Amino acid sequence: MQAEPKRRSHFIPRTRDGWIATGAFIGLFLLAMPPVTHLVLNRTDPWILGLPFIYASLLIIYTLLILVLVWALRRGV
């Protein structure tokens, strides 16, 4: 009698690129969460391209999140 092969979880990345994409996405996503936004990014004084600092920094963070997803899609992760 042959034992069934153990199935690997789809929640754990299987490739190096998968680990890079997951780590980058989680790291960037943590920058957009309240501890960072309330303590570090919560200021309006320096204006960047006509936007207050908090809006410009969140725009950059969200853009980087999208770029990580596009990179992962193109790599076939």
Side-chain angles (χ1 to χ4, degrees):
M1 180 183 253
Q2 197 173 27
E4 288 189 34
K6 185 178 177 185
R7 296 182 185 202
R8 294 178 61 184
S9 172
H10 290 283
F11 293 114
I12 299 172
R14 298 179 184 188
T15 63
R16 183 178 145 279
D17 288 340
W19 281 104
I20 291 170
T22 302
F25 191 84
I26 290 173
L28 287 169
F29 196 73
L30 288 175
L31 291 177
M33 291 293 106
V36 176
T37 55
H38 291 146
L39 297 175
V40 178
L41 304 177
N42 193 16
R43 52 190 165 131
T44 59
D45 200 15
W47 286 66
I48 302 170
L49 298 174
L51 293 172
F53 179 76
I54 188 166
Y55 294 141
S57 60
L58 287 175
L59 176 66
I60 291 168
I61 291 169
Y62 293 148
T63 303
L64 290 173
L65 283 169
I66 292 169
L67 289 175
V68 167
L69 293 176
V70 169
W71 178 80
L73 178 69
R74 288 190 177 180
R75 297 291 287 206
V77 174

